[in-house]
Amino acid sequence: NAGVMQNPRHLVRRRGQEARLRCSPMKGHSHVYWYRQLPEEGLKFMVYLQKENIIDESGMPKERFSAEFPKEGPSILRIQQVVRGDSAAYFCASSPGTGIGSPLHFGNGTRLTVT
Amino acid sequence: GNSVTQMEGPVTLSEEAFLTINCTYTATGYPSLFWYVQYPGEGLQLLLKATKADDKGSNKGFEATYRKETTSFHLEKGSVQVSDSAVYFCAPNYGGSQGNLIFGKGTKLSVKP
C-alpha cells in the first residue's frame, strides 16, 4: 500500500518563475494537508483540502499561492512568481478522516530552492 | 489559541543513554497527543500516540504517557541508539480544521557512538 507520494523531491526555480508541487494521498484518503517547513523550524500549516473543496486555507499567503485537489489526480500546490523567501520544504499529508485520533501520513516532501 | 511547547534542542547523547524530551500542551478540551519523528531528508513519521488521559503510547522502545494533570506528554527511551538521531515533534490534535495537528518547533536529537 503506497504511502503519500510527492513529486518532485527537489525543485529549483529562478525568481519570478512558477513552482508546481504534486501530492498523491494514500489510497482511501480523501483529506489532504499542505505544510511548509523552513530550515531548523517546525511545520506551518498552509491549507486543508478535500476532493474538489478547500476547507481551510488560513495558513496560506493571500497572494501567489494556490492549492487544488481535483476529483481526479493529485493535489497541486502552486506558487506563482516565486521569490527567495519561498525556499523551503513543502510537505503534504493525508488522512482518511478528521477524527482527533486520526494521525496524518506524510510524504517525503518537495524541497524548493529559488535562485 | 492552542499551542504546544517542546524542550529546545539540540540534544546530544551517547549511545545507550536515557532520553527525555519534554512536551506540554495547552489545556483546552481533550486533545489526542502524537509524537512524530523526522529522519534527515524525509517526511514526518508517526512514532506513537495517546488518545485519552493516562494512556501510554509506545513504539520502537519509545514511550509517552498522557498526563492531563500536568498537560504533558514527555517522550522517553531507556537506551538510545545512533539510528535514533532525528528531529522529534510533539503534536496535539484538538480537532480543528487546520490539519488537526499543532506542531512545535521540534527537538533535534543527535546520538554519538
Side-chain angles (χ1 to χ4, degrees):
Chain A
N1 191 13
V4 178
M5 303 300 292
Q6 288 188 251
N7 67 81
R9 286 296 304 272
H10 300 276
L11 182 62
V12 179
R13 285 288 178 266
R14 287 198 294 270
R15 279 180 299 169
Q17 290 186 319
E18 177 179 286
R20 193 172 292 209
L21 289 61
R22 296 175 187 78
C23 168
S24 295
M26 283 184 71
K27 188 176 180 181
H29 288 192
S30 58
H31 301 255
V32 166
Y33 309 85
W34 285 93
Y35 290 84
R36 177 162 63 178
Q37 184 179 37
L38 294 170
E40 308 298 322
E41 292 194 13
L43 273 71
K44 299 297 184 186
F45 167 81
M46 297 182 74
V47 61
Y48 160 41
L49 310 102
Q50 293 182 27
K51 283 285 187 181
E52 299 185 276
N53 288 304
I54 296 174
I55 306 302
D56 186 337
E57 57 182 348
S58 59
M60 202 149 68
K62 295 274 188 287
E63 298 180 354
R64 302 189 298 108
F65 285 72
S66 62
E68 62 178 13
F69 188 16
K71 187 176 180 181
E72 302 291 338
S75 175
I76 305 288
L77 179 67
R78 182 188 300 170
I79 311 172
Q80 296 177 301
Q81 299 175 330
V82 296
V83 300
R84 289 230 172 96
D86 296 332
S87 296
Y90 292 83
F91 290 96
C92 170
S94 71
S95 72
T98 56
I100 66 170
S102 296
L104 298 186
H105 300 263
F106 284 83
N108 282 333
T110 293
R111 281 148 186 83
L112 172 65
T113 301
V114 180
T115 61
Chain B
N2 294 317
S3 65
V4 59
T5 302
Q6 283 183 238
M7 66 184 282
E8 290 196 18
V11 174
T12 302
L13 295 173
S14 297
E15 207 165 20
E16 298 184 4
F18 183 85
L19 168 72
T20 300
I21 300 178
N22 291 339
C23 168
T24 56
Y25 60 94
T26 52
T28 304
Y30 301 94
S32 292
L33 302 172
F34 298 83
W35 275 101
Y36 281 82
V37 57
Q38 184 179 30
Y39 298 103
E42 297 185 12
L44 276 68
Q45 302 175 24
L46 177 66
L47 182 59
L48 53 84
K49 73 175 190 179
T51 57
K52 61 183 189 296
D54 300 324
D55 269 2
K56 177 187 283 188
S58 61
N59 186 25
K60 299 181 181 179
F62 291 89
E63 293 183 339
T65 300
Y66 191 141
R67 300 285 187 202
K68 187 168 181 293
E69 63 278 10
T70 54
T71 63
S72 65
F73 193 52
H74 304 323
L75 183 68
E76 296 181 337
K77 186 173 185 181
S79 176
V80 293
Q81 306 300 313
V82 172
S83 57
D84 294 327
S85 298
V87 181
Y88 293 81
F89 293 91
C90 181
N93 181 341
Y94 293 91
S97 64
Q98 289 192 4
N100 292 333
L101 296 171
I102 297 177
F103 288 95
K105 288 192 171 184
T107 302
K108 185 174 183 178
L109 170 67
S110 295
V111 181
K112 307 297 184 188

